[in-house]
C-alpha cells in the first residue's frame, strides 16, 4: 500500500467511522455520500456535514461467494443495500447475522468493524458494516 493510499484512507476516515453526509439547502433532502449536486432536486449541494443516525433497514441484499482481493477471509458474506432512516440508500456488508437469516425490511444499525487486511504488512482497514438492531428494552 502506497503513501498516497494511506493518506487517502486517513482522509476518508471520518466517512467510514460515522455516516457523514449533507442536507440539501434547496429541498432539505438528506445526501450520502456527500456530492456536489443534490440527487433529489439536482441543485448545487454545498452544506455543513450532516451525521446520520446509522439506523436503517435492509432494502435488498446478496451473498458474495467470490469476493475481491483482500476480502477472501470473510467469504461468503452478505452485502446489503441499506435504506437509512433519513432516506438515502447505502451499500454495506452485514455482520453478526447468518446469511440465511437476512430478510428484506430487517432493522439494522451501523457498527465499525475490520473490513480487510493488506498483504504481509498486515495493515488492517476498518470501516462501517451493518448488524441487526439490538432489541431495546
Ligand atoms: Zn435538493
Amino acid at each position: 500500500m502506497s503513501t498516497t493510499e494511506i493518506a487517502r484512507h486517513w482522509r476518508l476516515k471520518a466517512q467510514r467511522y460515522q455516516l457523514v453526509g449533507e442536507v440539501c439547502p434547496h429541498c432539505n433532502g438528506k445526501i450520502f455520500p456527500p456530492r456536489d449536486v443534490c440527487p433529489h432536486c439536482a441543485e448545487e449541494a454545498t452544506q455543513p456535514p450532516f451525521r446520520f443516525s446509522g439506523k436503517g433497514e435492509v432494502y435488498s441484499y446478496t451473498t458474495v461467494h467470490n469476493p475481491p482481493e483482500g476480502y477472501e477471509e470473510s467469504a461468503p458474506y452478505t452485502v446489503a443495500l441499506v435504506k437509512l432512516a433519513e432516506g438515502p440508500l447505502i451499500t454495506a456488508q452485514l455482520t453478526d447475522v447468518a446469511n440465511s437469516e437476512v430478510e428484506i425490511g430487517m432493522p439494522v444499525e451501523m457498527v465499525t468493524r475490520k473490513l480487510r487486511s493488506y498483504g504481509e504488512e498486515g495493515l488492517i482497514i476498518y470501516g462501517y458494516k451493518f448488524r441487526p438492531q439490538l432489541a431495546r428494552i
Side-chain angles (χ1 to χ4, degrees), residues 25-103:
H26 306 284
C27 71
N28 211 34
K30 308 293 193 299
I31 305 168
F32 186 89
R35 60 193 79 182
D36 294 336
V37 174
C38 174
H40 307 292
C41 69
E43 294 285 345
E44 192 178 347
T46 48
Q47 274 294 292
F50 171 79
R51 185 171 174 175
F52 288 88
S53 66
K55 299 283 196 295
E57 63 176 48
V58 174
Y59 187 78
S60 70
Y61 63 95
T62 186
T63 301
V64 176
H65 293 280
N66 298 299
E69 188 181 352
Y71 293 84
E72 294 92 341
E73 63 188 64
S74 38
Y77 56 85
T78 303
V79 171
L81 193 56
V82 173
K83 185 171 173 55
L84 297 173
E86 295 87 354
L89 293 167
I90 175 177
T91 303
Q93 197 174 320
L94 298 183
T95 187
D96 301 355
V97 61
N99 297 336
S100 60
E101 292 172 359
V102 179
E103 294 175 357

